[in-house]
C-alpha cells in the first residue's frame, strides 16, 4: 500500500521523543513491574520482554514529528509512514464510529526510541508498540519494524508497518467503545479475554485496511492511500502471523504453550484481520462476544 503522492500529512498529530538510556530496567523489579503493568496495559503487540519499569523517570523532550508533509514523504520515510497511517486511521474512524452510533475521540500518538514515559508507567522499546488506556495514547517504536522482519520472520513492507499502527489504534477503539472495560484481562489461554481483545484489534485493523484507499482526507478530499495490491495484503497477513503467540513461543523456547497465550495464534490473528478486511462490521469484529475464535 503506498500513499498518494499529493496527500497532505498532518505531522503535528504525532509526537516524537527520544528517551534516555538510564532507565532502571532489569532484575526482579523489572519483571515484577512488567507483570503488574502488562495487566494494566496488556495490550502491547508482543509482550515479549522485560521492558516496562516503574523505576526512576528520565527526562524526555517531546516535539511534533518534522519533515512529513506529503504522501511522497510517507512513501520514503518510516516515521512519516506512521504519521500518514495515523492520519488515514483518524479519517476512517472519525466517520466509521459515528456511522455505527458511537462517539469518536482521537487517540494520542507518540513515536519513541529507547524509552518513553506514559500514563501507564515507563516503557522501553523492548516492549514493542503498545496502547495505554490511561492516557488514551499509542506508543510506536519504529525499531520494532526491523524486529518484525529479522526476528519474527515477517515479510515486511509498508502495510505490515501500518498494520502495527492500525492494531494499536484498534485498542483505542476498544477503549472508547467500552469493550476494553468489559474484558477480564487477568487470564491467559486460547479462549481468554486477553486473546479476544487482541483478535478484536486485529479485526479492526482489517476494517481500516479495507477502507483506507477510499476514505478521503477531510481537508483535501483526497484519500491518503492507493488501493492495496495482493502483495501488500500478504505483507499485512505475514505481520499478523509473525506476532502470533505460537510463532513467538516456538521461536523463543522451541515449544508452544497455549495456556500462556495472550494474543492468539498466528492463524487466529490472520483470520481475524481478514474478518475485518473482508467487510466485517464492528459487531463482527467483537471477538469478546464470539462463540468460537
Ligand atoms: Zn495488541
Amino acid at each position: 500500500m503506498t500513499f498518494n503522492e499529493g496527500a497532505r500529512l498532518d505531522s503535528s498529530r504525532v509526537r516524537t521523543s527520544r528517551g534516555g538510556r538510564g532507565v532502571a530496567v532489569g532484575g526482579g523489579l523489572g519483571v515484577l513491574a512488567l507483570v503488574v503493568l502488562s495487566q494494566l496495559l496488556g495490550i502491547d503487540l508482543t509482550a515479549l520482554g522485560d521492558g516496562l519499569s516503574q523505576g526512576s523517570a528520565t527526562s524526555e523532550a517531546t516535539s511534533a514529528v518534522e519533515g512529513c508533509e506529503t504522501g511522497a514523504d510517507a512513501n520514503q520515510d518510516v516515521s512519516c509512514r506512521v504519521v500518514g497511517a495515523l492520519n488515514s486511521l483518524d479519517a476512517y474512524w472519525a466517520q466509521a464510529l459515528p456511522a455505527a452510533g458511537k462517539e469518536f475521540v482521537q487517540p494520542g500518538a507518540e513515536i519513541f526510541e529507547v524509552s518513553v514515559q506514559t500514563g501507564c508507567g515507563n516503557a522501553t522499546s523492548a516492549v514493542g508498540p503498545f496502547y495505554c488506556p490511561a492516557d488514551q495514547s499509542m506508543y510506536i517504536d519504529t525499531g520494532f519494524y526491523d524486529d518484525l522482519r529479522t526476528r519474527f520472520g515477517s515479510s515486511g513492507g509498508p502495510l505490515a508497518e501500518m498494520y502495527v499502527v492500525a492494531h494499536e489504534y484498534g485498542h483505542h477503539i476498544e477503549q472508547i467503545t467500552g469493550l476494553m472495560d468489559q474484558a477480564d484481562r487477568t487470564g491467559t489461554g486460547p479462549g481468554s479475554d486477553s486473546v479476544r481483545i487482541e483478535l478484536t484489534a486485529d479485526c479492526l485493523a482489517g476494517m481500516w485496511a479495507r477502507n483506507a484507499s477510499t476514505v478521503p482526507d477531510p481537508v483535501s478530499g483526497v484519500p491518503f492511500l492507493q488501493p492495496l495490491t495482493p502483495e501488500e495484503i500478504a505483507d499485512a497477513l505475514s505481520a499478523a502471523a509473525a506476532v502470533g503467540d505460537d510463532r513467538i513461543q516456538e521461536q523463543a523456547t522451541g515449544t508452544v504453550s497455549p495456556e500462556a497465550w495472550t494474543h492468539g495464534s498466528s492463524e487466529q490473528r490472520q483470520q481475524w484481520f481478514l474478518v475485518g478486511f473482508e467487510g466485517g462490521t464492528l459487531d463482527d469484529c467483537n471477538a469478546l462476544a464470539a462463540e468460537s475464535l
Side-chain angles (χ1 to χ4, degrees):
M1 179 186 271
T2 48
F3 287 81
N4 288 316
E5 301 255 306
R8 304 299 305 180
L9 305 189
D10 174 12
S11 60
S12 69
R13 178 70 183 83
V14 184
R15 290 167 285 139
T16 183
S17 67
R18 200 177 288 239
R21 290 180 183 272
V23 180
V25 180
L29 175 67
V31 174
L32 182 66
L34 177 64
V35 171
V36 171
L37 275 175
S38 70
Q39 290 183 356
L40 185 69
L41 307 164
I43 41 204
D44 57 283
L45 192 68
T46 59
L48 277 180
D50 174 9
L52 281 169
S53 163
Q54 291 171 315
S56 59
T58 52
S59 61
E60 141 188 321
T62 59
S63 57
V65 174
E66 289 178 4
C68 303
E69 290 172 5
T70 65
D73 295 330
N75 287 334
Q76 283 179 5
D77 178 85
V78 65
S79 292
C80 296
R81 212 140 44 234
V82 173
V83 172
L86 208 66
N87 288 168
S88 174
L89 282 153
D90 284 342
Y92 173 63
W93 287 112
Q95 56 90 10
L97 272 195
K102 316 255 185 209
E103 191 186 347
F104 173 71
V105 181
Q106 263 191 6
E110 185 165 332
I111 296 172
F112 74 98
E113 289 177 39
V114 187
S115 67
V116 66
Q117 298 168 33
T118 82
C120 297
N122 296 339
T124 75
S125 46
V127 179
F130 64 96
Y131 174 75
C132 170
D135 59 15
Q136 296 199 357
S137 295
M138 62 181 72
Y139 295 88
I140 307 289
D141 163 30
T142 52
F144 179 74
Y145 296 153
D146 297 330
D147 287 346
L148 261 186
R149 282 189 302 274
T150 59
R151 200 167 151 198
F152 303 121
S154 157
S155 57
L159 190 60
E161 296 176 5
M162 288 190 269
Y163 154 76
V164 171
V165 181
H167 172 96
E168 300 307 335
Y169 209 109
H171 285 313
H172 176 68
I173 300 301
E174 295 175 311
Q175 173 68 17
I176 61 177
T177 57
L179 217 54
M180 196 77 88
D181 288 341
Q182 293 170 27
D184 170 9
R185 310 203 41 257
T186 56
T188 62
S192 65
D193 281 6
S194 303
V195 165
R196 290 170 186 267
I197 280 288
E198 296 300 331
L199 297 178
T200 299
D202 287 335
C203 188
L204 297 174
M207 279 180 75
W208 163 76
R210 176 187 181 85
N211 294 284
S213 69
T214 52
V215 66
D217 171 7
V219 178
S220 70
V222 177
F224 290 100
L225 287 149
Q226 295 173 358
L228 294 169
T229 65
E231 187 188 358
E232 287 163 339
I233 297 163
D235 284 343
L237 290 171
S238 169
V243 288
D245 283 322
D246 50 347
R247 177 88 67 90
I248 289 172
Q249 287 176 336
E250 180 97 53
Q251 187 254 1
T253 66
T255 56
V256 174
S257 314
E259 67 279 3
W261 287 2
T262 55
H263 286 65
S265 68
S266 295
E267 188 183 345
Q268 285 174 316
R269 300 198 69 167
Q270 294 185 84
Q271 184 192 322
W272 279 86
F273 177 86
L274 284 173
V275 169
F277 185 70
E278 289 170 353
T281 63
L282 277 179
D283 283 343
D284 297 330
C285 280
N286 183 354
L288 265 186
E291 280 181 24
S292 67
L293 300 174

